[in-house]
Amino acid sequence: MGDEAPPETADAARLRYSGREATDMPLRELLTALERMYPPDRLLTNPAQLAAYESDALTVFKEQAGAVVLSETQSEVVDTVRLCARHGVPFVARGSGTSLSGGSLPVADGVVIGLSRLNRILKLDPDDRVAVVEPGVVNLAVSRAAAPHRLYYAPDPSSQSVCTIGGNVAFNSGGAHCLKYGMTSNHVLGMKVVLPDGEVSEMGGASLEGVGPDMTGLFVGSEGLFGIALEITLRLLPIPEVYRTVLAAYHSLEDAGDAVSAVIASGLLPGAMEIMDRLAIRAAEVGAQAGYPPDAAALLIVELEGEADAVDAEFSRLLRVIESSGAYEVRVARDEEERTRIWKGRKSAFSAVGRLAPDYIVQDGVVPRSRLGEALARIEALSRAYDISVANVFHAGDGNLHPLILFDGRTTGALEAAEELAGEILELCIELGGSITGEHGVGMEKRHYMSRMFGRAEMEAMERLRSSIDPMQLANRGKMLPLETTRAPGR
Amino acid sequence: MSPDQARTTSSSSSQVKEIQEAVRRHARVLATGGGSKPALSTPGDDGVVRIDVSPLRGILFYDPEEFTFSAWAGTPVAAVAADLAQNGQHLPFDPPLSAQGATLGGTVAAGANGSGRYRYGGVRDFLIGVRFVDGRGNLLQGGGKVVKNAAGFDFPKLMVGSLGRLGILTELTFKVFPAPRSTASLRADFATLDAGLDAVVRLGRSTFDLEGVDLVATAKGVSLWLRVGGLADTLPGRMERISDFLTDRSEPVRIERFENGEKGVVHWKEMASMEWAPEDGLLVKVPVTPTKVRQVDAAWASQGAIRRYSVGANVAWVAWPGSTRALDDSLADAGLAGVVLRGSSGHPWVGRPTGRRFLERIAAALDPDDKFGAVRSWPTS
Ligand SMILES: Cc1cc2nc3c(=O)[nH]c(=O)nc-3n(C[C@H](O)[C@H](O)[C@H](O)COP(=O)(O)OP(=O)(O)OC[C@H]3O[C@@H](n4cnc5c(N)ncnc54)[C@H](O)[C@@H]3O)c2cc1C
């Protein structure tokens, strides 16, 4: 496919692109070439149009792209990437722009490649239980298409009605139901990708098993740094016969946390175990009228799924565990409608928090499950020390926290204080032996914490790997791996 | 940690340094583990230095409440399984060849999964952290120790199936699951492979929670083996419903049910031990799908191959009587790839695997001097 620019060393590339003016010329030349490829309504260059793409869902970051293209076919994407490579212009793939870490933030004077129109489900094979999709297909659309065959796509981010499979792949997105069946990467079997210099490569296939190093597994979660996924083969699962969902209210967050440990110790394997604290409950109430017990200090949602006989027997055990865990109110969803209502409150918690404060940052750190209680107590102490409200909604089963840090960006210094608090929470997760992100990705936001989590040798290895795949650092430049390791956290 | 394990641990740290030095010193190296997959641990080429990681053994950390453990790469799977079982936990993918001494590192490197992979995933889904020595002799860590982690490139997954091509594994962290209290099995015989595959496909879209779904080609047709797990008193009823489902929707010749006893586990043990495959000849793992199996089975049968289709017809285990060359041709014709675990030496990847160009770039970063590549070449298409 030798259409790409001659390879250049990473150092040379960095030198060439370090100054902003230097990129203007290549960008202008690139635009001329793009004009030949795209009609005007799919090549956006004027500032009013570009404004719609200047942020993702983490709106504290803003950057204007040199241009946005709205690709409709895989070959348009490949050609665009090749042109970017030829002209040395960086590009950022964009699905629905719901990233919470600045992952789909444009690069200044770079090109944003919008993929939401590549939304075809190319194949749905119920016998082999796979779907082959383009990257702009919305997560929930896969399950909708599979439903007539009584199959579904398991990973369920709260944003699943809008976010795309391409974005899910880049971040290895998760959801409430990842405890049992895993995250995105556990459900991606194969891919066709365009590498950052325009070469197209396939990896994996339609089988659950592979041969050789698991390259599909490496590509998932690489945050757009290895190029753009053009076609993704997803594993489908049979829709469970029944779900049994219980909601338990507690007078303290600690009691809810202890209940999670008790469930785990009982040998049950729930599909989901979620906790919300007082502030998050209030947000869900305001946002979704979920009808949650209003005085609860913490709510625990536990769900079992599977074959009716098996789940019924396990559910009785679960209820015994929950009832002896100090819950003051236990509600069992009697039908699908009640189950939906329980989940609606939980799934709308992020957007609902927007009603409690003008701005928020959501963190996504992970701690060992047994240290959840300690982590939450320390976050509460930090919240008091900073005098900043923090709402907690989290995937308790796998120790994945989602502290929502509330602030008012119109107040001078409020954003900086919120970011400082966010940073302390990340440090806390690292200290407790966890991770800075469970599912939202590093993106722009957490890149300076990578070197706190990983040692120098690891950072260098990741940098070498990226440079070997993308010597010019064109794909999503500046995300995940910090540009200069010496810069202090913050921006 | 027992005093015994503590001893191995401190000696192991110096062994890791020795591995790093060996990689730096020699031009071509190959890591070997328990030797349960001889085709993978025989250098074949002159001038390739073997690095034995089997002395690196012992569990470093196991916290049942966290559902995680870390161990040295040379730790036998069987030893780990015994520890996990004491806490009612397991690695649900039935790691193969553990009775023959397979190590954790070898299992990861071979990317080998047993029948239990069907329900919750395989070694790729349960490996959450690695330490490995790269081609420069650097000791690198990837992933982490918590069950959920999206930070940084996913080196653990990259190591799965890598056969040492990209580095030598020294330490591994896994997530584990609660083991079912009881299991029960069922065998349904069908007159033809197609009828058996039809049943596999129907079951795959049914709401039955199956842990294992294997097809064994026999002289009289094919046997379908199913395994369910859970609370003991629910199992008979569930098995009954599965039997009814099979008789209603397909044409089994005969169905036999096994409760927890010896007879019920014999198939799964045999699958894990690979004892059904002749000692001589090649033993190959080929990723497939039910659709692919329909296309290739007759050709393999005509070449005298013994076939077992595991994981809901997603893995073909093929005992191949002919030459590697003939196998390679047969896979290439079908657009398939495989890995030879037993029998041949040298170049275990056969057929037409995908991802060549991406792999080249990855290898250039992790193994720039091609120290591991000598006996691990990727077939060209
Ligand atoms: C209200 C709300 C709730 C959320 N809940 C969850 C949740 O429960 N769990 C969770 O994990 N996340 C959640 N998210 C975060 C977000 O939805 C996910 O990260 C999602 O995967 C992003 O998809 P997207 O299509 O919006 O991607 P974008 O934001 O457009 O892009 C995300 C990243 O993917 C890259 N990318 C996009 N397409 C491709 C491609 N084809 N190839 C390579 N790289 C590509 C981009 O460059 C960028 O780095 C939530 C977000 C919001 C706003």
Side-chain angles (χ1 to χ4, degrees), chain B residues 159-178:
Chain B
M159 291 297 136
V160 173
S162 67
L163 297 180
R165 171 66 191 90
L166 301 169
I168 298 180
L169 296 165
T170 61
E171 197 186 312
L172 305 161
T173 302
F174 285 90
K175 102 179 162 182
V176 298
F177 267 0

Side-chain angles (χ1 to χ4, degrees), chain A residues 125-129 149-151 171-172 174-175 178-183 185-188 195-197 199 201-223 225-226 235 238-241 261 264 266-269 305-310 313-314 317 366-371 395 397-398 400 433-442 450 453-454 457-458 461-462 464-466 468-470 480-481, chain B residues 63-67 89 111-113 117-126 131 134 136 138-155 157-163 165-166 175 177-179 181 201 203-210 228-231 233-234 237-238 241-242 249 285-292 294 311 314-315 337-339 349-350 353-366 378:
Chain A
D125 186 331
D127 285 6
D128 292 350
R129 299 200 301 186
H149 306 286
R150 283 177 302 184
L151 297 170
F171 278 152
N172 190 15
C178 290
L179 189 56
K180 199 166 175 179
Y181 293 114
M183 324 238 293
S185 83
N186 306 104
H187 300 270
V188 176
L195 299 173
D197 57 6
E199 183 166 11
S201 186
E202 284 183 40
M203 51 194 81
S207 174
L208 291 175
E209 287 279 289
V211 161
D214 192 336
M215 291 175 258
T216 309
L218 176 72
F219 196 96
V220 176
S222 61
E223 303 204 5
L225 269 62
F226 292 160
R235 163 195 186 206
I239 296 173
E241 185 175 12
S261 302
I264 293 289
S266 74
L268 294 168
L269 184 61
E305 62 195 39
E307 251 179 273
D309 304 0
E314 287 170 9
R317 285 183 47 169
V366 184
V367 297
R369 186 165 36 214
S370 55
R371 306 193 75 172
H395 308 306
D398 40 28
N400 188 189
S435 169
I436 55 177
T437 173
E439 55 185 23
H440 295 171
V442 174
M450 280 290 280
M453 190 172 155
F454 293 102
E458 283 76 22
M462 285 191 245
R464 267 200 302 273
L465 182 56
R466 186 267 281 273
S468 180
I469 291 166
D470 182 11
M480 189 167 113
L481 297 174
Chain B
D63 185 348
E65 205 205 321
E66 288 298 332
F67 280 18
Q89 298 183 337
N113 295 300
R117 190 216 193 287
Y118 185 76
R119 177 103 190 262
Y120 294 117
V123 58
R124 79 185 293 272
D125 304 294
F126 284 83
R131 269 179 207 275
D134 75 1
R136 288 181 168 81
N138 294 333
L139 181 64
L140 301 174
Q141 174 219 320
K145 302 233 187 263
V146 278
V147 296
K148 195 169 180 186
N149 173 19
F153 298 137
D154 199 336
F155 285 122
K157 289 222 172 40
L158 183 62
M159 291 297 136
V160 173
S162 67
L163 297 180
R165 171 66 191 90
L166 301 169
K175 102 179 162 182
F177 267 0
R181 297 281 165 116
V201 163
L203 286 165
R205 283 153 63 180
S206 75
T207 52
F208 297 116
D209 291 327
L210 301 168
V228 295
L231 299 174
D233 46 354
T234 67
R238 292 171 61 196
R241 288 207 307 157
I242 295 171
R249 319 270 172 100
K285 175 192 120 170
V286 185
V288 287
T289 62
T291 307
K292 272 284 177 203
R294 287 188 210 274
V311 195
N314 273 266
V315 184
V339 54
W349 288 316
V350 288
T354 51
R356 178 182 184 82
R357 299 288 290 132
F358 193 47
L359 180 59
E360 281 171 3
R361 297 177 195 216
I362 297 166
L366 293 177
W378 200 238

Side-chain angles (χ1 to χ4, degrees), chain B residues 278 281-282 284 295-307 309 318-334 336:
Chain B
L282 309 176
V284 198
Q295 292 162 10
V296 297
D297 184 73
W300 287 348
S302 74
Q303 308 228 31
I306 306 174
R307 299 93 57 215
Y309 299 110
V318 183
W320 187 261
S323 68
T324 316
R325 182 63 190 275
L327 170 69
D328 197 53
D329 289 347
S330 164
L331 292 177
D333 283 349
L336 292 170

Side-chain angles (χ1 to χ4, degrees), chain A residues 274-308:
Chain A
E274 301 282 305
I275 291 181
M276 300 169 75
D277 74 359
R278 198 186 293 279
L279 202 52
I281 298 167
R282 211 172 86 213
E285 210 44 67
V286 176
Q289 292 85 43
Y292 289 153
D295 311 321
L299 286 182
L300 170 67
I301 302 172
V302 186
E303 186 164 273
L304 298 179
E305 62 195 39
E307 251 179 273

Side-chain angles (χ1 to χ4, degrees), chain B:
Chain B
M1 200 185 323
S2 70
D4 205 32
Q5 279 168 347
R7 250 196 321 275
T8 32
T9 303
S10 64
S11 70
S12 296
S13 308
S14 61
Q15 274 154 1
V16 170
K17 292 211 176 67
E18 281 169 29
I19 293 174
Q20 291 179 264
E21 268 151 38
V23 170
R24 289 195 188 110
R25 205 165 45 238
H26 301 292
R28 297 159 145 219
V29 294
L30 173 68
T32 65
S36 66
K37 299 172 264 298
L40 306 182
S41 49
T42 317
D45 259 304
D46 285 342
V48 176
V49 176
R50 282 175 57 138
I51 299 183
D52 182 9
V53 300
S54 61
L56 275 180
R57 64 171 75 194
I59 294 177
L60 291 157
F61 157 93
Y62 170 35
D63 185 348
E65 205 205 321
E66 288 298 332
F67 280 18
T68 55
F69 75 87
S70 300
W72 291 107
T75 312
V77 174
V80 175
D83 269 22
L84 296 178
Q86 280 181 5
N87 291 284
Q89 298 183 337
H90 71 161
L91 287 167
F93 50 88
D94 295 357
L97 298 170
S98 62
Q100 284 78 358
T103 61
L104 288 173
T107 303
V108 170
N113 295 300
S115 310
R117 190 216 193 287
Y118 185 76
R119 177 103 190 262
Y120 294 117
V123 58
R124 79 185 293 272
D125 304 294
F126 284 83
L127 181 70
I128 57 174
V130 288
R131 269 179 207 275
F132 64 99
V133 177
D134 75 1
R136 288 181 168 81
N138 294 333
L139 181 64
L140 301 174
Q141 174 219 320
K145 302 233 187 263
V146 278
V147 296
K148 195 169 180 186
N149 173 19
F153 298 137
D154 199 336
F155 285 122
K157 289 222 172 40
L158 183 62
M159 291 297 136
V160 173
S162 67
L163 297 180
R165 171 66 191 90
L166 301 169
I168 298 180
L169 296 165
T170 61
E171 197 186 312
L172 305 161
T173 302
F174 285 90
K175 102 179 162 182
V176 298
F177 267 0
R181 297 281 165 116
S182 306
T183 60
S185 306
L186 175 154
R187 195 194 72 231
D189 298 328
F190 294 87
T192 63
L193 176 77
D194 267 332
L197 281 167
D198 286 346
V200 167
V201 163
R202 280 200 200 98
L203 286 165
R205 283 153 63 180
S206 75
T207 52
F208 297 116
D209 291 327
L210 301 168
E211 291 189 347
V213 178
D214 287 349
L215 279 174
V216 178
T218 64
K220 281 177 267 155
V222 67
S223 293
L224 167 66
W225 281 89
L226 304 176
R227 187 174 78 205
V228 295
L231 299 174
D233 46 354
T234 67
L235 296 183
R238 292 171 61 196
M239 296 285 278
E240 183 86 46
R241 288 207 307 157
I242 295 171
S243 301
D244 291 349
F245 178 90
L246 286 173
T247 8
D248 284 358
R249 319 270 172 100
S250 50
E251 292 132 43
V253 178
R254 195 175 113 97
I255 293 183
E256 198 174 349
R257 278 156 43 187
F258 306 94
E259 304 306 323
N260 224 347
E262 261 310 295
K263 262 182 129 179
V265 295
V266 73
H267 164 77
W268 312 105
K269 275 194 172 157
E270 194 184 282
M271 282 303 283
S273 69
M274 304 284 165
E275 269 159 12
W276 55 271
E279 284 288 326
D280 46 354
L282 309 176
L283 175 63
V284 198
K285 175 192 120 170
V286 185
V288 287
T289 62
T291 307
K292 272 284 177 203
V293 172
R294 287 188 210 274
Q295 292 162 10
V296 297
D297 184 73
W300 287 348
S302 74
Q303 308 228 31
I306 306 174
R307 299 93 57 215
R308 295 205 161 187
Y309 299 110
S310 187
V311 195
N314 273 266
V315 184
W317 291 105
V318 183
W320 187 261
S323 68
T324 316
R325 182 63 190 275
L327 170 69
D328 197 53
D329 289 347
S330 164
L331 292 177
D333 283 349
L336 292 170
V339 54
V340 180
L341 297 187
R342 205 155 76 190
S344 124
S345 66
H347 303 283
W349 288 316
V350 288
R352 294 289 173 270
T354 51
R356 178 182 184 82
R357 299 288 290 132
F358 193 47
L359 180 59
E360 281 171 3
R361 297 177 195 216
I362 297 166
L366 293 177
D367 181 26
D369 302 322
D370 207 24
K371 298 203 168 188
F372 307 123
V375 290
R376 293 291 183 257
S377 59
W378 200 238
T380 29
S381 40

Side-chain angles (χ1 to χ4, degrees), chain A residues 56-57 92-105 113 115 135-136 156-160 162-176 219 223-225 227-230 232 346-347 350-351 360 364 395 402 438-441 443 476 479:
Chain A
D56 56 26
V92 179
R94 186 177 177 108
S96 298
T98 65
S99 155
L100 290 166
S101 58
S104 41
L105 181 80
I113 304 181
L115 299 166
D156 63 336
S158 306
S159 50
Q160 69 184 143
V162 284
C163 67
T164 65
I165 296 295
N168 294 176
V169 163
F171 278 152
N172 190 15
S173 298
F219 196 96
E223 303 204 5
L225 269 62
I228 300 182
L230 298 172
I232 303 130
R346 162 63 188 90
K347 292 211 170 187
F350 282 14
S351 36
Y360 70 88
D364 171 45
H395 308 306
H402 284 326
E439 55 185 23
H440 295 171
N476 222 359
K479 314 292 172 60

